Amino acid sequence: MSFDLPFELPVGWQVATVEELVKRKIIAKPLDGNHGGTHPKASDYVESGIPFVMASDLSGGQVDLISCKFITEKQASSLRKGFSKAGDILLSHKATIGRTAIVQDNDYDFIMLTPQVTYYRVIDTSLLSNIYLKAYFDSRFFQSILALWAGAGSTRAYLGITGQLKLPIILPPIEIQSEISGHVDVLNRKITLNNGTNQTLEEMAQAIFKSWFVDFDPVKAKMNGEQPEGMDAATASLFPEKLVESELGLIPEGWEVSTLSSLIKLTGGGTPKRSEETYWNGDIPWFSVRDAPSGSNVFVVDTDEKITELGLNKSSTKLLPKGTTIITARGTVGKLALVGTDMCMNQSCYGIRGKEVGDFYNYFNLNEAVSTLQRNTHGAVFDTITTKTFDTYSMAFSGAELANKFDALVAPLLQKIEANVRQNIELATLRDTLLPKLLSGEIELDTTINN
């Protein structure tokens, strides 16, 4: 493996391989989660313990320590490698190539990595900033080399530690690194703030859904002779004043027990032929599980891969309109995404629209159903949600009028989430292209920092 810089370095800037930085004791030797025969299995996962971090858990520049898998401390201690801590830069190098994160401050003594992920640990902070190194890993220059050497696009894409040691690292003087890091930190803080806002907004909408359609709080309030809290009279009038027995237990009078499948319309996906270049690199987003939104961001508005109109017409994939909920249905099961831009998807997903209800009710109803759907998957090799799986979840259905009242109530919350998701994409693009734009002379650092 070799490389040529496509640009001339400014005076005082250097380039070195990862291996050279290790020899100079600027960074420790990178290590991944190569656990040998002791690699944890799905049956080893527990509700709480030591985070067991996969490539899919690297999101928004940090590690998703809420939705990630967990293993017991005893099992983690038995593993040979993969112990990472706050401040480490993580890089995915297998199958899903090029995801990055800095391990944020957390309450764990360490986290464990799967074999998909390598950690880089800066030793000499007088010569290398870990925030700069993360920004460099995100640059298009580095990502293009990593993708090329790893064979990105193939099902066996991989660049092990031996290959990673040959990767080039561009080293500006530390004061330049610090300025770049400061600018990146400002962008990251805004992205983090938006993510936090989205979490609050999503939790508010979810709480309303649960109160109305799962716990039946407005009905219970009316049974006690009270006005449902925070609800206008017109909406309150749509709730009955009595709970009655059903196969699900007590439900509001007049509501029907319905299967999930009776309330939704399913659309399957597909993949255009990879060998046909004219089918790919178009302008139609094409969703796969790696595009699923992280945390409470809810919406997917862009995808890693895109197809052409010819690819759409010559394959079994369909164009999903905005407002469709996508659910991943094979392998990684039960991740949801609310479509914010018309897009297609692969065959490992379903697109779901409500028959009578609005897009937001449909999304939150599916979110409530996910754990049941995951328990009722089929498949000898891969967990799979089939069309019949949607028959296994039943709920008390209020009817379309109240469901659509919910949509109208939470619409401003969801619209703000979508706006934040779109802004985060713009901020991340600015952050990730900062370094190559500096190198090409397209922008100057002082101008960037001051504006």
Side-chain angles (χ1 to χ4, degrees):
M1 297 176 182
S2 61
F3 60 89
D4 294 309
L5 293 179
F7 39 73
E8 188 173 332
L9 288 176
V11 175
W13 292 41
Q14 304 175 32
V15 62
T17 64
V18 171
E19 188 171 31
E20 288 168 341
L21 296 182
V22 172
K23 290 179 179 178
R24 292 164 58 184
K25 300 188 184 303
I26 295 176
I27 63 173
K29 182 180 179 181
L31 293 173
D32 61 12
N34 184 8
H35 308 125
T38 60
H39 186 282
K41 305 180 293 294
S43 58
D44 295 324
Y45 299 148
V46 294
E47 288 190 10
S48 62
I50 302 299
F52 189 58
V53 174
M54 306 178 184
S56 58
D57 299 317
L58 311 186
S59 178
Q62 294 188 328
V63 183
D64 186 349
L65 295 176
I66 297 175
S67 302
C68 69
K69 306 296 185 184
F70 294 87
I71 58 177
T72 64
E73 186 170 352
K74 180 179 179 181
Q75 182 168 26
S77 299
S78 72
L79 301 176
R80 299 196 310 269
K81 293 168 60 178
F83 298 83
S84 184
K85 61 183 183 180
D88 288 346
I89 303 96
L90 305 185
L91 175 68
S92 66
H93 64 266
K94 183 177 183 180
T96 302
I97 300 296
R99 289 198 177 191
T100 67
I102 292 181
V103 182
Q104 64 271 35
D105 291 336
N106 58 75
D107 296 329
Y108 303 98
D109 293 333
F110 59 89
I111 64 175
M112 295 302 302
L113 306 180
T114 65
Q116 299 173 310
V117 181
T118 301
Y119 73 80
Y120 286 75
R121 184 170 298 159
V122 175
I123 298 173
D124 191 341
T125 56
S126 69
L127 294 175
L128 180 61
S129 157
N130 65 340
I131 297 176
Y132 165 78
L133 185 58
K134 161 72 165 61
Y136 173 73
F137 282 169
D138 289 328
S139 71
R140 291 179 180 175
F141 167 68
F142 178 84
Q143 287 284 328
S144 64
I145 292 177
L146 180 66
L148 178 64
W149 289 8
S154 72
T155 57
R156 297 183 179 181
Y158 173 70
L159 189 67
I161 298 298
T162 300
Q164 291 180 56
L165 289 173
K166 307 300 181 186
L167 289 167
I169 306 294
I170 295 174
L171 284 178
I174 191 63
E175 61 271 16
I176 300 296
Q177 292 184 42
S178 297
E179 290 191 66
I180 294 172
S181 299
H183 189 59
V184 167
D185 190 52
V186 169
L187 297 171
N188 283 340
R189 286 177 184 273
K190 176 56 178 171
I191 291 172
T192 300
L193 178 63
N194 284 347
N195 287 337
T197 299
N198 285 355
Q199 181 175 349
T200 299
L201 295 170
E202 191 270 343
E203 287 173 352
M204 290 170 61
Q206 183 66 43
I208 295 170
F209 183 92
K210 189 172 186 295
S211 175
W212 286 20
F213 302 111
V214 179
D215 296 333
F216 316 129
D217 291 332
V219 179
K220 294 174 182 177
K222 294 176 76 171
M223 289 172 65
N224 292 330
E226 301 169 358
Q227 175 73 10
E229 186 177 354
M231 186 177 292
D232 62 80
T235 303
S237 69
L238 298 176
F239 288 91
E241 298 180 1
K242 185 179 179 181
L243 296 174
V244 297
E245 287 289 347
S246 77
E247 63 192 78
L248 299 178
L250 291 173
I251 66 171
E253 185 178 33
W255 291 24
E256 295 182 357
V257 174
S258 302
T259 60
L260 178 60
S261 56
S262 70
L263 300 179
I264 60 177
K265 297 175 288 187
L266 296 174
T267 301
T271 302
K273 285 184 179 179
R274 292 282 183 182
S275 57
E276 292 288 345
E277 293 184 5
T278 55
Y279 293 174
W280 293 92
N281 300 315
D283 55 8
I284 302 173
W286 183 79
F287 179 95
S288 63
V289 65
R290 64 186 171 188
D291 299 304
S294 60
S296 297
N297 286 329
V298 178
F299 287 90
V300 56
V301 299
D302 198 10
T303 57
D304 282 352
E305 293 186 282
K306 294 180 174 63
I307 63 173
T308 62
E309 188 170 351
L310 184 62
L312 168 62
N313 294 333
K314 294 292 186 178
S315 71
S316 59
T317 194
K318 306 291 191 300
L319 191 64
L320 304 175
K322 179 176 181 176
T324 304
T325 293
I326 295 175
I327 185 170
T328 59
R330 186 171 185 266
T332 302
V333 170
K335 286 187 174 292
L336 299 180
L338 191 56
V339 172
T341 301
D342 293 356
M343 65 180 58
C344 300
M345 64 182 180
N346 71 11
Q347 64 273 18
S348 296
C349 306
Y350 289 108
I352 303 175
R353 300 298 299 272
K355 289 181 178 177
E356 303 177 32
V357 298
D359 298 330
F360 303 143
Y361 176 91
N362 182 54
Y363 174 85
F364 284 104
N365 193 40
L366 285 163
N367 193 53
E368 193 69 33
V370 157
S371 59
T372 299
L373 300 179
Q374 289 172 324
R375 287 196 301 271
N376 294 317
T377 54
H378 302 78
V381 179
F382 295 104
D383 289 340
T384 304
I385 292 176
T386 67
T387 55
K388 292 183 178 180
T389 310
F390 296 97
D391 294 328
T392 66
Y393 182 79
S394 296
M395 84 238 36
F397 181 51
S398 65
E401 186 176 5
L402 185 56
N404 291 328
K405 273 279 188 181
F406 169 81
D407 256 53
L409 179 63
V410 303
L413 307 180
L414 274 295
Q415 289 163 0
K416 178 60 176 174
I417 291 175
E418 182 182 354
N420 285 342
V421 167
R422 292 184 182 278
Q423 185 181 59
N424 278 358
I425 291 174
E426 295 175 0
L427 293 170
T429 298
L430 176 59
R431 177 196 65 197
D432 299 345
T433 57
L434 174 61
L435 185 62
K437 285 182 177 180
L438 286 170
L439 293 171
S440 67
E442 184 177 341
I443 58 174
E444 294 183 5
L445 190 59
D446 289 343
T447 301
T448 305
I449 296 298
N450 294 330
N451 292 303

